């Protein structure tokens, strides 16, 4: 297990290297001079030259890349062109709301998806199953932002149960936190609920006809206990692998949800920075998200091998 | 697979949307661009089925015309990313030496949530239809190459491939005539899902204001314009959204149906295993 863990950790190096190349290239893909682009067309030659020097744009591309990479490895993500603050500090200032939102959504996903999947498998020979499939398909077909708008129209405007937008930190009181985050977290969770419930249902249906389940039934174990203890616990292991997919979906989704509900998280920061052409911040946020995603993936992989020792990728 | 009503319905919806979009100029009564300042933000009526927008333009006509751009982007992204992904997956699954490096690059690309990668690329390249297609292709082809590679790895050591190699069949022929037909089903399924995802992603990018130029109607652009008027003109937001949901849902249903039809281990069929043995061939066809 330790050897496997070390090897997986080691394999992160090439992945993160590629990630950093892609993030670095974002600035250099822009048509024209990045410095002019940041400062605007009316800027003077001197200020452009100064910014070029500040960003290191006057050196060869390869030199720029390694210089940039070295700084990042030392925790220096550069400076915001917009506010001159260090990028890392800006990101850390915005991480709280995004973290809150993601955790809230994750809790909703687990609370709704698991009981739904069990219930559907329990009633597997009824009309519930095709209905369930249709609903999950509908879930992945609705644009998140449109669903958010509809929910705001329904539960914030027509029936003002929740606020239209805004954010309250967890420290400002749990109820206040739930009050502000419920709608955005629910929208964010909606798509993933379908995916997770579907994965669980598929896994459980796969297990339902296995020999050991038949043995359990033949012993006279109650159907509810068979489902919970034998079928569910075995379907849970492959489902852990979707956690990585969920996190990716949530992170992509937060960008849109935070914009609609004006939650000051890193998603909102990213969109604002795109409008401001604040490339150091854009790069920082994207790199940050990719790093988190890679780490979550690693964690899930390790968890998976830990839970199911039959799987060791040798 | 078309014995199932659901799949047939999905195909019908897609055909209807496609035909309606292509022939739009022949039968649309209201102009999608005609501005009538006396008819602003009117609710649905016999004259304006979906109501009018903030410039008094007919929303029904605009939804139909917008479909052209949204579907075009979806199709092109699906086709290009499937082709690129397939070629990379084939080569990487077949040539062990290339595999390591190529897969590390793919891993790196997969480390970004697809929408974020597309967002970053569009932010850098600038928002127009070509750049959105490029950005979305980059976001979606890595998954295809992963899927194709693992399919190739499963069959590359089967005897008929070995036999072909020893009889001196050239590599390109083995790759494209011996291996490709056998990995085609997951590719088609992936392509369908990417079509659906690309439509959603384009809408999201345009909604965020970094996508297609706002003067060109797309479903995402319309929803962005409509957001301000959500309380006074909800139909402005509802109809373009319904168009997206219907189209994407139809694609997802089709993809799901194709996957079940191609996959002999699909859980849904387990129950009918005995009957499957006799007509299994028919189902796949």
């Amino acid at each position: 297990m330790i050897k496997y863990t070390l090897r997986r950790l080691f394999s992160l190096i090439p992945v993160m290297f590629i990630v950093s190349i892609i993030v670095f290239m974002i600035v250099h893909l822009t048509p024209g001079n990045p410095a002019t682009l940041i400062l605007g067309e009316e800027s003077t030659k001197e200020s452009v030259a100064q910014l070029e020097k500040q960003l290191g744009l006057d050196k060869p591309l390869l030199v720029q890349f390694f210089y940039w990479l070295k700084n990042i490895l030392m925790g220096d993500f550069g400076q915001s062109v917009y506010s001159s603050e260090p990028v890392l500090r800006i990101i850390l200032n915005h991480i709280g709301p995004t973290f809150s939102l993601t955790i809230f959504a994750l809790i909703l996903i687990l609370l709704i998806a698991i009981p739904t999947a069990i219930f559907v498998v329990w009633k597997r020979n009824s009309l519930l199953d095709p209905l369930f499939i249709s609903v999950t398909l509908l879930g992945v077909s609705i644009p998140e932002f449109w669903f958010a708008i509809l929910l705001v129209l329904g539960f914030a405007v027509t029936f003002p149960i929740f606020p239209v937008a805004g954010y309250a930190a967890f420290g400002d009181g749990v109820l206040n936190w739930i009050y502000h985050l419920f709608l955005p977290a629910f929208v964010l969770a909606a798509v993933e609920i379908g995916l997770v419930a579907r994965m669980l249902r598929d896994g459980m249906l796969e297990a339902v006809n296995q020999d050991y389940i038949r043995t359990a039934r033949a012993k006279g174990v109650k159907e509810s206990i068979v489902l919970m203890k034998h079928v569910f616990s075995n379907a849970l292991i492959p489902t852990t692998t979707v956690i990585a997919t969920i996190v990716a979906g949530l992170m992509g989704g937060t960008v849109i949800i935070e914009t609609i509900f004006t939650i000051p998280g890193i998603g909102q920061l990213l969109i604002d920075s795109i409008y401001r052409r604040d490339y150091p911040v854009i790069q920082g946020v994207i790199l940050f998200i990719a790093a988190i995603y890679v780490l979550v993936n690693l964690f899930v992989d390790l968890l998976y091998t830990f839970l199911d020792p039959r799987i060791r990728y040798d | 697979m078309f014995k199932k009503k659901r799949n047939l319905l999905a195909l019908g919806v897609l055909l209807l949307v496609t035909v309606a979009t292509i022939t739009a100029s022949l039968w649309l009564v209201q102009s999608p661009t005609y501005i009538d300042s006396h008819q602003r933000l009117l609710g649905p009526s016999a004259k304006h089925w979906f109501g009018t927008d903030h410039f008094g333009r007919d929303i029904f006509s605009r939804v139909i015309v917008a479909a052209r751009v949204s579907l075009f982007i979806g199709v092109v992204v699906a086709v290009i990313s499937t082709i690129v992904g397939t070629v990379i997956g084939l080569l990487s699954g077949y040539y062990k030496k290339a595999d390591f490096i190529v897969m590390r690059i793919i891993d790196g690309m997969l480390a970004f949530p697809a929408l974020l990668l597309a967002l970053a690329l569009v932010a850098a390249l600038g928002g127009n239809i070509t750049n959105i297609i490029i950005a979305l292709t980059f976001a979606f082809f890595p998954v295809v190459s992963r899927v194709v590679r693992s399919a190739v790895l499963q069959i590359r050591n089967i005897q008929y491939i070995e036999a072909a190699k020893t009889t001196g069949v050239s590599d390109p022929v083995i790759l494209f005539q011996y291996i490709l037909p056998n990995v085609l089903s997951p590719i088609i399924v992936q392509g369908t899902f990417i079509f659906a995802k690309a439509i959603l992603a384009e809408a999201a990018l345009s909604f965020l204001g970094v996508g297609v130029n706002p003067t060109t109607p797309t479903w995402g652009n319309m929803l962005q314009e409509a957001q301000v008027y959500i309380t006074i003109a909800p139909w402005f937001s509802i109809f373009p959204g319904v168009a997206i949901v219907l189209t994407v849902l139809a694609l997802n249903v089709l993809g799901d149906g194709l996957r079940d039809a191609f996959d002999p281990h699909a859980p849904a069929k387990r129950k009918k295993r005995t009957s499957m043995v006799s007509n299994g061939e028919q189902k796949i066809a």
Side-chain angles (χ1 to χ4, degrees):
Chain A
M1 190 69 202
I2 291 171
K3 205 174 136 198
Y4 177 72
T5 310
L6 280 176
R7 215 181 51 218
R8 282 293 281 113
L9 268 174
F10 203 66
S11 71
L12 288 189
I13 296 171
V15 171
M16 282 315 290
F17 185 70
I18 301 291
V19 165
S20 60
I21 292 179
I22 296 173
V23 172
F24 175 75
M25 286 312 292
I26 290 173
V27 174
H28 298 274
L29 280 174
T30 50
N33 184 337
T36 322
L37 213 62
I38 291 166
L39 292 171
E41 292 297 335
E42 324 66 79
S43 55
T44 58
K45 275 219 171 80
E46 291 79 50
S47 56
V48 169
Q50 201 198 343
L51 186 69
E52 271 188 344
K53 208 167 176 196
Q54 189 197 328
L55 298 175
L57 291 170
D58 48 350
K59 299 192 182 66
L61 207 58
L62 209 63
V63 177
Q64 282 183 47
F65 172 66
F66 282 105
Y67 185 71
W68 178 80
L69 192 62
K70 190 196 90 188
N71 281 341
I72 284 193
L73 289 176
M74 289 164 68
D76 178 7
F77 282 56
Q79 267 189 358
S80 160
V81 180
Y82 174 75
S83 67
S84 309
E85 272 182 273
V87 171
L88 193 61
R89 196 199 297 159
I90 300 178
I91 293 177
L92 292 178
N93 281 342
H94 285 82
I95 193 79
T98 305
F99 185 71
S100 273
L101 183 60
T102 324
I103 294 291
F104 199 147
L106 208 57
I107 294 172
L108 283 179
I109 293 170
L110 298 178
L111 277 183
I112 301 175
I114 293 176
T116 309
I118 294 174
F119 189 70
V120 168
V121 174
W122 183 43
K123 299 269 181 205
R124 59 187 170 280
N125 290 325
S126 69
L127 276 174
L128 194 69
D129 193 61
L131 182 73
F132 167 76
I133 298 288
S134 308
V135 172
T136 54
L137 279 173
L138 185 66
V140 293
S141 306
I142 296 182
E144 276 169 326
F145 61 89
W146 186 64
F147 190 45
I149 294 173
L150 289 189
L151 284 188
V152 168
L153 184 65
F155 298 101
V157 178
T158 314
F159 302 101
I161 305 169
F162 296 104
V164 175
Y167 172 74
F170 194 72
D172 301 341
V174 179
L175 281 179
N176 202 14
W177 181 72
I178 293 177
Y179 174 66
H180 280 92
L181 277 184
F182 184 80
L183 275 191
F186 184 74
V187 177
L188 201 51
V191 175
E192 315 295 330
I193 290 171
L195 290 178
V196 177
R198 179 80 191 262
M199 269 291 276
L200 260 178
R201 168 222 174 241
D202 290 355
M204 286 173 79
L205 281 183
E206 195 114 329
V208 139
N209 290 331
Q210 301 277 332
D211 287 344
Y212 67 90
I213 302 294
R214 200 170 309 149
T215 312
R217 280 205 197 101
K219 277 197 308 191
V221 180
K222 265 199 287 183
E223 182 66 16
S224 58
I225 295 181
V226 170
L227 272 187
M228 287 310 295
K229 207 176 152 193
H230 301 276
V231 176
F232 176 67
S233 59
N234 278 292
L236 207 52
I237 297 175
T239 308
T240 54
T241 53
V242 250
I243 294 176
T245 331
I246 298 175
V247 172
L250 291 182
M251 282 177 158
T254 50
V255 177
I256 296 167
I257 302 303
E258 284 176 10
T259 314
I260 292 177
F261 290 94
T262 56
I263 296 169
I266 51 171
Q268 172 108 62
L269 174 68
L270 179 65
I271 296 296
D272 288 346
S273 304
I274 287 176
Y275 287 141
R276 291 173 193 147
R277 302 194 178 286
D278 194 346
Y279 285 100
V281 179
I282 300 176
Q283 286 180 308
V285 172
I286 304 262
L287 190 65
F288 189 79
I289 292 176
I292 290 190
Y293 183 40
V294 167
L295 287 177
V296 170
N297 253 312
L298 173 77
F299 175 74
V300 169
D301 261 15
L302 294 178
L303 185 71
Y304 193 38
T305 36
F306 180 72
L307 291 175
D308 191 349
R310 284 172 304 177
I311 297 155
R312 292 279 150 85
Y313 305 98
D314 286 314
Chain B
M1 67 174 274
F2 293 113
K3 273 183 193 160
K4 266 196 189 164
K5 275 196 197 115
R6 197 171 61 196
N7 297 341
L8 208 59
L9 193 68
L11 194 72
V13 168
L14 275 183
L15 282 177
L16 187 73
V17 173
T18 317
V19 172
T21 311
I22 294 172
T23 60
S25 52
L26 300 177
W27 55 270
L28 271 186
V29 183
Q30 305 283 336
S31 154
T33 48
Y34 178 68
I35 294 175
D36 185 347
S37 50
H38 299 295
Q39 308 272 317
R40 296 175 71 241
L41 300 172
L42 293 181
S45 63
K47 193 179 171 207
H48 300 289
W49 292 358
F50 290 179
T52 58
D53 70 3
H54 55 306
F55 288 126
R57 295 173 298 195
D58 182 57
I59 293 177
F60 177 73
S61 307
R62 287 183 76 75
V63 167
I64 299 286
V65 174
R68 217 177 278 171
V69 185
S70 300
L71 287 178
F72 174 75
I73 292 179
V75 173
V76 175
V77 169
V79 170
I80 300 180
S81 48
T82 314
I83 293 174
V84 173
T86 303
V87 171
I88 292 178
L90 279 176
L91 295 176
S92 143
Y94 190 69
Y95 296 108
K96 272 186 185 157
K97 274 179 193 157
D99 187 41
F100 182 77
I101 293 178
V102 173
M103 276 304 126
R104 289 297 80 76
I105 296 174
I106 297 292
D107 281 347
M109 297 183 75
L110 284 172
F112 302 92
L115 186 67
L116 278 190
L117 185 59
L119 192 64
L121 287 173
V122 172
L125 295 168
N128 60 46
I129 295 179
T130 319
N131 288 342
I132 286 177
I133 290 173
I134 295 174
L136 290 179
T137 303
F138 266 95
F140 291 130
F141 90 79
V143 181
V144 181
S145 54
R146 262 286 181 77
V147 171
V148 174
R149 172 182 173 265
S150 64
V152 173
L153 285 181
Q154 275 177 17
I155 64 163
R156 57 165 288 172
N157 290 328
I158 294 180
Q159 265 177 341
Y160 79 103
I161 305 284
E162 300 271 323
K165 259 191 232 169
T166 39
T167 49
V169 179
S170 71
D171 278 1
V173 176
I174 292 183
L175 274 174
F176 290 98
Q177 284 186 14
Y178 288 58
I179 295 182
L180 183 61
N182 287 295
V183 296
L184 216 50
S185 42
I187 296 175
I188 294 170
V189 173
Q190 283 296 324
T192 318
F193 285 136
I194 288 176
F195 192 170
K197 281 184 193 163
I199 291 178
L200 284 180
E202 181 276 314
L205 291 176
S206 297
F207 179 76
L208 288 171
V210 295
V212 179
N213 192 316
T215 50
T216 314
T218 72
W219 290 332
N221 276 340
M222 293 184 73
L223 285 171
Q224 203 225 356
E225 288 173 339
Q227 199 194 353
V228 190
Y229 305 101
I230 180 72
T231 49
I232 49 169
W235 56 87
F236 191 6
S237 288
I238 288 172
F239 289 112
V242 171
I244 298 180
V245 173
L246 271 184
T247 315
V248 174
L249 182 63
L251 282 166
N252 278 330
V253 168
L254 266 190
D256 216 51
L258 284 168
R259 184 168 53 190
D260 282 353
F262 288 140
D263 179 10
H265 303 294
K269 286 184 193 161
R270 272 272 139 99
K271 282 180 277 178
K272 303 172 194 160
R273 183 179 273 168
T274 40
S275 64
M276 273 294 299
V277 179
S278 54
N279 63 6
E281 289 300 315
Q282 282 176 341
K283 275 231 158 138
I284 289 167

